[in-house]
Amino acid sequence: MHPSSTTREPTPALVIIGHGMAAQKLLEQLVSLSPDQQLPWPTTVIGEEPHLPYNRIQLSPLLAGETQTEGLISQQADWFSQHGITRISGDPVSQIDRAARCVETASGGRIPYQRLVIATGSRPALPLPLPAHLPEASYANDWPPGLMGFRDLKDVEQMQAACLAGRQGGAGALVIGGGLLGLEAAEGLRKGGLEVTLLQRSERLMNRQLDEVAAGLLEQELRERGLDIITGAYLEEWLETPAGRITGVRLKDGRELHAGLTIAATGIRPEIELARAAGLTCQRAIQVDGHLLTSDPHIHALGECCEVDGETFGLIEPIWAQTEVLARQLLAQPTPPYRNAPLATRLKISGIDLYSCGELAPQTNDEVLVYQDHALGDYRRLLLREERLVGVVLYGDVSAGNALFEALKAGTPLTRIREDLLLMPAEALARLTQDGPPTAPDDPGGKPGTQDTSDKTDKTNKTNTTNKTDNTPDTFEEAA
């Protein structure tokens, strides 16, 4: 245990289990909303890792050598002391005693609470059951040697060590999962000097965010950089040594892929064991209402470990929105409830820019507008339904991403800027805003919005489509 300050009272009013990004953001929100930036009651945050809180989003740049560990730290130890917060690290909570309203840590400490927030996050998902003779492993820390996830600083340290060994003649790496996390892990390991093979079950990379063209451009770029990519890869079983070390996988087509290190980047599973053992209502995650309250009126849950209206979370934007709602709720300040909303995905890997939001597969009578500049490597695909934007895929030039996302969320009628939307989306949307409230698509005063933009450039295509919906399950990337 490493408490960074002492509490003002013997009984902390608020205890937070977990000290990842969601918990730290909640603390910062509480401080910013409190008078004189001093919390009105003693607060204790309990983390499993023996570190100060850090930005997990920066693990990929850290692995790629683009930043240093010190740059990931969210707050230094004195920040907690200044705001009257007790920080316990390296001594995780092992039990919640709801009847006594206290939590017990692994070292045997008992900490009472008046309000409890569970922010335990998630754990990596295994893409394939472990060999039957190996003990069951609920946590990545319990996975056999040679197999690991990509979730924390310790994982990066292990991967960096593998890169060093690889440069000295060791074996390469195998990354399972062609979603955001898998691509970032693979590129980081490649930049570290390893020969890397990436496996994706779907026929295309990032199949939940990208259409075939954008995914193809991404795959081509990564191959040119030196990644070996296998799509349509179905796993059969793990390869292992007699001592139980994982050395790769066998695919269902019979191919055996050997590696010194295998990374499972196949999605996440909400960490709900403490909550379930305490009798809280759980399904895929801990069930909470719009104010992040669980089935116990004294306990809230936040972030990747919770679900709202059946939806779980793996991206920063909704979790940040939850922290603001919960902070105001704990401080008894008026706040509207949290509501699920459309999300945008942005990927940047050493110069590759991608942006995706909304729906990917068109419905009958939807319009798919496509622009591609082969020379510049830019691709743009807009999905319209009744003259409103419902889906966006951008590759290369993603500068219009935020403007398009705002138009998508607002359900803005786009009839008046229809002819410029594809070629100059940011400028067209800005003009629409300046011109005032838009007319409805069926308003006689509005433009018909059916003009074909193909006459403006031979690189532009507009298509009415009834393409079959792609329902390919992607067990290799359940959450970004």
Side-chain angles (χ1 to χ4, degrees):
M1 296 174 61
H2 304 283
S4 62
S5 69
T6 57
T7 57
R8 298 181 296 250
E9 301 174 21
T11 301
L14 176 65
V15 172
I16 303 173
I17 303 176
H19 200 179
M21 292 179 65
Q24 182 58 33
K25 185 67 172 181
L26 175 62
L27 289 170
E28 292 170 4
Q29 289 275 13
L30 287 168
V31 168
S32 68
L33 292 169
S34 297
D36 301 321
Q37 296 194 334
Q38 291 297 315
L39 302 187
W41 9 252
T43 299
T44 298
V45 58
I46 308 170
E48 179 178 9
E49 294 185 72
H51 307 291
L52 287 163
Y54 60 90
N55 184 351
R56 295 178 191 274
I57 295 175
Q58 293 299 307
L59 289 177
S60 297
L62 178 64
L63 175 61
E66 298 167 359
T67 188
Q68 300 298 316
T69 303
E70 296 75 19
L72 274 64
I73 302 302
S74 305
Q75 296 290 352
Q76 297 298 327
D78 59 356
W79 182 87
F80 300 91
S81 302
Q82 292 169 6
H83 299 293
I85 300 168
T86 298
R87 181 179 64 89
I88 300 174
S89 60
D91 188 21
V93 171
S94 58
Q95 182 180 357
I96 300 170
D97 187 338
R98 290 170 57 195
R101 284 194 208 165
C102 73
V103 299
E104 183 171 326
T105 68
S107 66
R110 289 178 65 84
I111 304 171
Y113 64 84
Q114 295 173 24
R115 288 279 184 178
L116 180 67
V117 175
I118 303 175
T120 45
S122 62
R123 52 187 168 86
L126 272 171
L128 191 69
L130 293 174
H133 67 88
L134 293 177
E136 184 177 349
S138 299
Y139 299 93
N141 290 342
D142 300 326
W143 290 358
L147 175 65
M148 60 179 297
F150 181 30
R151 297 287 294 169
D152 56 34
L153 280 173
K154 185 177 65 176
D155 293 335
V156 173
E157 292 170 359
Q158 186 174 344
M159 293 163 78
Q160 288 173 331
C163 289
L164 178 60
R167 292 194 296 268
Q168 296 173 348
L174 182 66
V175 177
I176 308 173
L180 286 169
L181 193 63
L183 293 174
E184 292 177 343
E187 181 66 0
L189 289 167
R190 184 198 66 79
K191 291 187 71 174
L194 289 186
E195 296 289 329
V196 181
T197 298
L198 183 139
L199 303 181
Q200 166 74 332
R201 182 186 179 192
S202 171
E203 293 299 329
R204 66 179 188 267
L205 299 177
M206 293 185 66
N207 65 296
R208 292 192 173 187
Q209 293 89 15
L210 302 182
D211 67 347
E212 291 183 2
V213 176
L217 292 170
L218 175 62
E219 181 175 340
Q220 178 182 350
E221 173 66 24
L222 293 174
R223 286 186 182 277
E224 290 175 355
R225 293 184 178 195
L227 283 183
D228 180 22
I229 299 172
I230 302 176
T231 57
Y234 288 81
L235 307 186
E236 177 71 31
E237 63 179 346
W238 299 108
L239 302 177
E240 57 176 324
T241 67
R245 180 181 179 85
I246 299 299
T247 58
V249 296
R250 179 180 294 111
L251 303 182
K252 289 186 180 294
D253 62 12
R255 282 180 289 177
E256 292 189 355
L257 304 172
H258 296 267
L261 185 66
T262 301
I263 313 296
T266 52
I268 56 176
R269 297 286 184 269
E271 183 49 75
I272 62 174
E273 297 308 316
L274 279 174
R276 179 173 282 151
L280 298 177
T281 301
C282 301
Q283 290 189 3
R284 292 174 61 200
I286 306 168
Q287 288 189 299
V288 297
D289 63 15
H291 290 98
L292 291 307
L293 190 65
T294 70
S295 54
D296 185 316
H298 301 281
I299 302 178
H300 297 264
L302 173 72
E304 292 176 337
C305 68
C306 79
E307 66 175 87
V308 179
D309 294 331
E311 185 170 329
T312 56
F313 310 96
L315 294 174
I316 283 297
E317 184 179 356
I319 296 174
W320 267 203
Q322 291 173 12
T323 63
E324 184 172 357
V325 170
L326 182 52
R328 293 184 180 277
Q329 179 75 5
L330 291 170
L331 291 167
Q333 297 179 2
T335 178
Y338 170 81
R339 294 282 184 256
N340 294 325
L343 300 175
T345 298
R346 180 163 186 166
L347 174 68
K348 185 175 181 65
I349 305 179
S350 302
I352 303 176
D353 285 298
L354 299 167
Y355 194 98
S356 172
C357 62
E359 300 178 29
L360 187 60
Q363 297 180 7
T364 303
N365 298 325
D366 285 353
E367 278 190 293
V368 180
L369 309 183
V370 175
Y371 166 88
Q372 186 168 7
D373 187 322
H374 295 278
L376 294 177
D378 294 337
Y379 175 75
R380 194 175 301 140
R381 177 183 182 267
L382 307 180
L383 181 61
L384 271 66
R385 183 174 302 145
E386 297 178 354
E387 294 299 326
R388 288 172 168 82
L389 192 62
V390 295
V392 176
V393 174
L394 306 177
Y395 183 98
D397 180 5
V398 300
S399 58
N402 289 339
L404 289 165
F405 185 43
E406 291 303 317
L408 182 149
K409 290 191 295 182
T412 305
L414 302 174
T415 305
R416 287 187 293 162
I417 60 169
R418 181 66 173 68
E419 57 187 278
D420 294 326
L421 180 63
L422 184 61
L423 296 179
M424 299 180 294
E427 295 85 346
L429 288 167
R431 188 174 70 249
L432 183 65
T433 302
Q434 294 167 0
D435 290 345
T439 55
D442 56 352
D443 188 326
K447 293 184 180 180
T450 58
Q451 182 175 346
D452 192 337
T453 60
S454 60
D455 60 341
K456 302 187 78 75
T457 173
D458 59 2
K459 300 169 186 172
T460 305
N461 300 293
K462 177 171 73 71
T463 310
N464 282 322
T465 180
T466 56
N467 290 354
K468 185 182 295 184
T469 299
D470 179 4
N471 291 318
T472 305
D474 185 8
T475 58
F476 279 4
E477 187 67 17
E478 293 202 358

